[in-house]
Coordinates of all heavy atoms in Angstrom, one line a residue:
A663 N 30.7 -17.6 27.6 CA 30.5 -18.9 26.8 C 30.1 -20.0 27.8 O 30.4 -19.9 29.1 CB 31.7 -19.3 25.9
G664 N 29.5 -21.0 27.2 CA 29.2 -22.2 28.1 C 28.2 -21.9 29.1 O 28.3 -22.4 30.3
G665 N 27.2 -21.1 28.8 CA 26.2 -20.6 29.7 C 26.7 -19.8 30.8 O 26.2 -19.6 31.9
G666 N 27.8 -19.1 30.6 CA 28.3 -18.1 31.5 C 29.4 -18.7 32.4 O 30.0 -17.8 33.3
V667 N 29.8 -19.9 32.2 CA 30.9 -20.5 33.2 C 32.2 -20.0 32.7 O 33.2 -20.1 33.5 CB 30.8 -22.1 33.3 CG1 29.5 -22.5 33.9 CG2 31.0 -22.6 31.9
V668 N 32.4 -19.6 31.5 CA 33.7 -19.0 31.1 C 33.5 -17.6 30.5 O 32.6 -17.3 29.8 CB 34.3 -19.9 29.9 CG1 35.6 -19.2 29.4 CG2 34.7 -21.3 30.5
S669 N 34.3 -16.7 30.9 CA 34.2 -15.3 30.6 C 35.6 -14.8 30.1 O 36.7 -15.1 30.6 CB 33.9 -14.4 31.7 OG 33.9 -13.1 31.4
V670 N 35.5 -14.2 29.0 CA 36.8 -13.7 28.3 C 36.8 -12.2 28.2 O 35.8 -11.7 27.7 CB 37.1 -14.3 26.9 CG1 38.3 -13.6 26.3 CG2 37.3 -15.8 27.1
K671 N 37.8 -11.5 28.7 CA 37.9 -10.0 28.6 C 38.9 -9.8 27.5 O 40.0 -10.3 27.5 CB 38.2 -9.4 29.9 CG 38.0 -7.9 29.9 CD 38.4 -7.4 31.3 CE 37.3 -6.3 31.7 NZ 37.7 -5.7 33.1
I672 N 38.6 -8.9 26.5 CA 39.5 -8.7 25.4 C 39.4 -7.2 25.2 O 38.4 -6.5 25.4 CB 39.1 -9.4 24.1 CG1 40.0 -9.4 23.0 CG2 37.7 -9.1 23.6 CD1 39.8 -10.3 21.9
N673 N 40.6 -6.6 24.6 CA 40.5 -5.1 24.3 C 40.4 -5.0 22.7 O 40.4 -6.0 22.0 CB 41.7 -4.4 24.8 CG 43.1 -4.8 24.1 OD1 43.2 -5.4 23.1 ND2 44.1 -4.5 24.8
G674 N 40.3 -3.8 22.2 CA 40.2 -3.4 20.8 C 41.3 -3.9 20.0 O 41.2 -4.0 18.8
K675 N 42.5 -4.2 20.6 CA 43.6 -4.7 19.8 C 43.7 -6.2 19.8 O 44.6 -6.8 19.2 CB 44.9 -4.2 20.6 CG 45.1 -2.7 20.5 CD 46.4 -2.4 21.3 CE 46.5 -0.9 21.5 NZ 47.8 -0.6 22.3
K676 N 42.5 -6.8 20.2 CA 42.4 -8.3 20.2 C 43.5 -8.9 21.2 O 43.8 -10.0 20.9 CB 42.5 -8.8 18.8 CG 41.5 -8.3 17.9 CD 41.7 -8.9 16.5 CE 40.9 -8.0 15.4 NZ 41.4 -8.3 14.1
E677 N 43.7 -8.2 22.3 CA 44.6 -8.9 23.3 C 43.7 -9.4 24.4 O 42.8 -8.6 24.9 CB 45.5 -7.8 23.8 CG 46.5 -7.2 22.8 CD 47.2 -6.0 23.2 OE1 46.7 -5.2 24.1 OE2 48.3 -5.7 22.7
I678 N 43.9 -10.6 24.7 CA 43.1 -11.2 25.9 C 43.6 -10.6 27.1 O 44.8 -10.6 27.5 CB 43.2 -12.6 25.8 CG1 42.9 -13.3 24.5 CG2 42.4 -13.3 27.1 CD1 41.3 -13.0 24.1
L679 N 42.7 -9.9 28.0 CA 43.1 -9.3 29.2 C 42.8 -10.3 30.4 O 43.6 -10.2 31.4 CB 42.3 -8.0 29.4 CG 42.4 -7.0 28.2 CD1 41.5 -5.9 28.5 CD2 43.8 -6.5 28.1
A680 N 41.9 -11.1 30.2 CA 41.5 -11.9 31.4 C 40.6 -13.1 30.9 O 39.8 -12.9 30.0 CB 40.8 -11.1 32.5
I681 N 40.7 -14.2 31.5 CA 39.8 -15.4 31.4 C 39.4 -15.8 32.7 O 40.2 -16.1 33.6 CB 40.5 -16.6 30.6 CG1 41.0 -16.0 29.2 CG2 39.6 -17.7 30.6 CD1 41.7 -17.1 28.4
D682 N 38.1 -15.8 33.0 CA 37.6 -16.3 34.2 C 36.7 -17.6 34.0 O 36.0 -17.6 33.1 CB 36.5 -15.2 34.7 CG 35.9 -15.5 36.0 OD1 36.8 -16.0 37.0 OD2 34.8 -15.5 36.3
I683 N 37.2 -18.6 34.7 CA 36.5 -19.9 34.7 C 35.8 -20.3 36.0 O 36.5 -20.2 37.0 CB 37.7 -21.0 34.3 CG1 38.4 -20.6 33.0 CG2 37.0 -22.4 34.2 CD1 39.6 -21.4 32.8
Q684 N 34.6 -20.5 35.9 CA 33.9 -20.9 37.1 C 34.2 -22.3 37.5 O 34.4 -23.2 36.7 CB 32.3 -20.9 36.9 CG 31.8 -19.5 36.5 CD 32.0 -18.4 37.6 OE1 31.7 -18.8 38.8 NE2 32.5 -17.3 37.2
P685 N 34.5 -22.6 38.8 CA 35.0 -23.8 39.3 C 34.1 -25.0 38.9 O 34.7 -26.1 38.6 CB 35.0 -23.7 40.8 CG 34.9 -22.2 41.1 CD 34.2 -21.5 39.9
E686 N 32.8 -24.9 38.7 CA 32.0 -26.1 38.4 C 32.1 -26.6 37.0 O 31.8 -27.8 36.8 CB 30.5 -25.7 38.6 CG 29.9 -24.5 37.7 CD 29.9 -23.2 38.2 OE1 30.7 -23.0 39.3 OE2 29.2 -22.4 37.8
I687 N 32.8 -25.8 36.1 CA 33.1 -26.4 34.8 C 34.4 -27.2 34.8 O 34.7 -27.9 33.9 CB 33.1 -25.2 33.8 CG1 33.1 -25.8 32.3 CG2 34.3 -24.4 33.9 CD1 31.9 -26.6 31.9
V688 N 35.3 -27.0 35.8 CA 36.5 -27.7 35.8 C 36.3 -29.1 36.2 O 36.0 -29.4 37.4 CB 37.6 -27.0 36.7 CG1 38.9 -27.6 36.7 CG2 37.7 -25.6 36.4
D689 N 36.5 -30.1 35.3 CA 36.4 -31.4 35.6 C 37.6 -32.2 35.1 O 37.9 -32.2 33.8 CB 35.2 -32.0 34.8 CG 35.0 -33.6 35.1 OD1 35.8 -34.2 35.7 OD2 34.0 -34.1 34.6
P690 N 38.5 -32.7 35.9 CA 39.7 -33.2 35.5 C 39.5 -34.4 34.5 O 40.4 -34.7 33.7 CB 40.4 -33.7 36.8 CG 39.6 -33.1 37.9 CD 38.3 -32.6 37.4

């Protein structure tokens, strides 16, 4: 999502396995 800056990995049980956030989207 967000043009690829956030990636979510999920399994078939709808359990979130990982969330990857690119540093350039992190703005305090």
